[in-house]
Amino acid sequence: MSRFPIAADDASFHWRHLPSLCALFAAFRGEGEELRVVGGAVRNSLLGLDVGDIDCATTAEPEKSMEIGKAAGFKAIPTGFDHGTVTLVMDGHAFEVTSLRTDVVTDGRHARVAYGKDWAEDAARRDFTMNALYLDVDGCIFDFLGSGIADAKARYVRFIGDAHARIEEDYLRILRFFRFFAQYGHDFKEEDYQACIALQAGLAQLSAERIGAEMVKILQAPYAAVALLRLYEGGMLAGLCGTAPILRRFERLLVVEASFERVPSLANRLVALCGHSREAIELLARRWRLPNHLRDQAIRRVKLLPLLEERSCDLSLPWLKELAYHHGKEVVTDGLLLQTGKGMDDHLAGLIAGLDAWQVPDFELKGKDLIALGIPAGPELGRILAELETRWIASGFSLKREELLASLSPPSS
Ligand code: ATP
Ligand code: MG
């Protein structure tokens, strides 16, 4: 086992001074138990990346974790009590605290677990070496497998122990393997990749929700394109998606996103993965149990593509603003990114920058303004209002409220 102190002023680990985490450490220590942070928070901090949730491991059994948490003023939720996990919440920070455990019986997804006091055994039941690093209250990292820190820093995804055995315990690990590769994207152990390929039939044991949730994490990740390619080359992608997606468009979108320095949009990546087809999006959304709002966002983008295509030779900022007014700025910008095939194109870059800098205005005239002028409520009022809005849009959103009202001929009564 190796033990590495981190520098006291290491900014990547600043979160370890969170008052709620300090209270958590102190509460467990006060009851004669030990708690350490493990998993993504330690791994990402070593890589200088943002930290999401903070997972912890403890020598206390779940019931005692609940008691310690409550006594120290945390809200205690038995989120995964049967496999040792409770969630302790303070100041809006949720800590997933899992008792040190070994998996006694496994069935490809769920494990019957035994609690223990042995940190090395707990490390050995985790999935990848980069995920089995523990940070204690004094700022020391424990690397029980020996290669965890080096693997994390090299962004090298490697199963703990024999990959075949570890996958047969839990087939979700196949998808986690590609997820971490997609997120960190440098390399993986070739034998482990081959084990994923050999055991892919086990993916059928996973629920649609689990597959969908992991695939979405893969799609959003920085190195999603190469991870999907490896899934495809390993013969797994068609089974996961229900059809064989064409990766060319997905790869191109990621290149374009990078050259335009855009924050990736999951909905847009879905559109690209589905080959710009509404039908394919609907099928995939059903298969992966995607939330309706995500499916609808993707469909909104697809619907815009023919319009952009038609005007592709003569795109102008005023026209795009009009489109953005009706469909939303993000949707239009995403549509432009999907349309471009040439990476950084100066004209397009200028248009996107123009849209970014522009705030979609509100149409200020309301029905009551017209009623105040004596126009009676009813369908005619709606028609006049719509006409004024059209005029306002056609003016490049420049006509003022007063100018629009002045343009109305007095109502005949
Ligand atoms: P993220 O930053 O996305 O939260 P993470 O590594 O923290 O990544 P979690 O799903 O939060 O991933 O799990 C926390 C830790 O629990 C992992 O780092 C790993 O040690 C362990 N773990 C989670 N799922 C599994 C699994 N299926 N098999 C073995 N260990 C797992
Ligand atoms: Mg986590």
Side-chain angles (χ1 to χ4, degrees):
M1 189 266 294
S2 330
R3 194 165 173 271
F4 297 92
I6 57 169
D9 59 350
D10 189 330
S12 300
F13 285 90
H14 64 90
W15 49 266
R16 77 189 177 93
H17 303 295
L18 271 176
S20 47
L21 181 59
C22 295
L24 193 71
F25 275 129
F28 279 75
R29 180 171 270 191
E31 290 301 320
E33 301 288 354
E34 194 176 357
L35 176 128
R36 295 176 186 170
V37 178
V38 66
V42 184
R43 179 194 66 229
N44 285 14
S45 301
L46 276 174
L47 291 172
L49 301 173
D50 288 346
V51 162
D53 52 3
I54 297 183
D55 308 300
C56 303
T58 179
T59 52
E61 293 198 10
E63 221 154 297
K64 191 164 178 193
S65 295
M66 293 282 289
E67 280 165 22
I68 294 175
K70 279 186 209 155
F74 286 82
K75 183 172 177 210
I77 311 160
T79 36
F81 198 82
D82 294 341
H83 57 261
T85 303
V86 308
T87 302
L88 300 178
V89 189
M90 183 184 276
D91 300 342
H93 295 285
F95 303 98
E96 284 218 335
V97 178
T98 305
S99 305
L100 296 190
R101 63 174 230 215
T102 49
D103 298 345
V104 186
V105 186
T106 54
D107 67 358
R109 182 66 273 262
H110 301 102
R112 210 165 75 222
V113 305
Y115 302 118
K117 299 276 179 201
D118 189 328
W119 292 92
E121 272 187 13
D122 186 74
R125 65 102 188 152
R126 292 179 183 271
D127 45 9
F128 307 108
T129 51
M130 58 165 67
N131 286 350
L133 299 169
Y134 299 77
L135 178 78
D136 75 1
V137 62
D138 301 316
C140 257
I141 297 180
F142 295 77
D143 183 357
F144 294 96
L145 284 321
S147 70
I149 293 181
D151 287 345
K153 287 188 171 165
R155 295 163 175 255
Y156 185 73
V157 188
R158 183 208 303 261
F159 271 101
I160 295 169
D162 174 59
H164 272 263
R166 304 310 312 284
I167 292 170
E168 282 174 337
E169 289 168 5
D170 178 0
Y171 288 101
L172 184 67
R173 290 175 188 156
I174 295 181
L175 294 182
R176 287 178 62 87
F177 180 81
F178 290 97
R179 195 243 283 190
F180 290 112
F181 177 59
Q183 284 174 335
Y184 304 109
H186 184 67
D187 205 359
F188 50 58
K189 189 172 160 191
E190 180 59 27
E191 290 92 314
D192 292 2
Y193 175 56
Q194 294 302 332
C196 292
I197 296 174
L199 294 170
Q200 61 180 284
L203 290 170
Q205 290 193 31
L206 302 177
S207 72
E209 287 80 1
R210 288 311 303 210
I211 292 180
E214 284 300 321
M215 289 305 292
V216 159
K217 286 182 189 164
I218 292 175
L219 289 191
Q220 278 174 300
Y223 305 96
V226 59
L228 290 182
L229 186 63
R230 296 290 170 259
L231 277 167
Y232 170 77
E233 289 167 346
M236 284 167 269
L237 194 60
L240 290 164
C241 296
T243 56
I246 302 156
L247 290 181
R248 195 171 31 83
R249 283 201 158 127
F250 188 82
E251 286 164 3
R252 196 177 71 191
L253 173 64
L254 267 63
V255 172
V256 172
E257 275 174 6
S259 66
F260 283 73
E261 295 178 9
R262 305 301 300 184
V263 177
S265 140
L266 175 58
N268 227 30
R269 288 189 172 191
L270 263 179
V271 174
L273 183 71
C274 292
H276 301 187
S277 148
R278 176 180 182 151
E279 200 189 357
I281 292 169
E282 283 171 347
L283 280 173
L284 200 64
R286 267 203 297 282
R287 186 176 180 93
W288 288 352
R289 312 281 194 275
L290 298 180
N292 289 346
H293 68 86
L294 178 57
R295 179 202 58 200
D296 295 345
Q297 281 173 7
I299 290 175
R300 274 203 287 281
R301 283 155 175 78
V302 166
K303 280 174 151 172
L304 207 64
L305 292 179
L307 285 175
L308 291 169
E309 176 77 15
E310 226 170 81
R311 292 282 290 244
S312 57
C313 298
D314 115 66
L315 286 173
S316 69
L317 192 56
W319 183 74
L320 289 172
K321 284 182 175 174
E322 202 176 315
L323 212 56
Y325 178 72
H326 293 297
H327 301 275
K329 210 162 77 166
E330 294 292 309
V331 177
V332 175
T333 311
D334 278 359
L336 290 173
L337 295 176
L338 286 167
Q339 285 289 302
T340 174
K342 307 169 203 82
M344 194 66 181
D345 167 303
D346 286 346
H347 180 54
L348 208 57
L351 293 174
I352 290 178
L355 276 181
D356 280 344
W358 181 66
Q359 208 187 341
V360 181
D362 280 329
F363 184 51
E364 285 181 7
L365 278 186
K366 301 283 174 273
K368 62 176 171 20
D369 298 310
L370 302 192
I371 291 171
L373 289 180
I375 299 173
E380 178 62 6
L381 181 141
R383 196 194 55 73
I384 297 173
L385 200 58
E387 198 184 300
L388 290 174
E389 188 179 12
T390 307
R391 212 178 295 165
W392 172 67
I393 295 169
S395 75
F397 308 95
S398 69
L399 283 176
K400 303 270 171 298
R401 186 191 145 86
E402 298 69 34
E403 292 171 305
L404 286 167
L405 288 176
S407 73
L408 280 177
S409 46
S412 48
S413 51

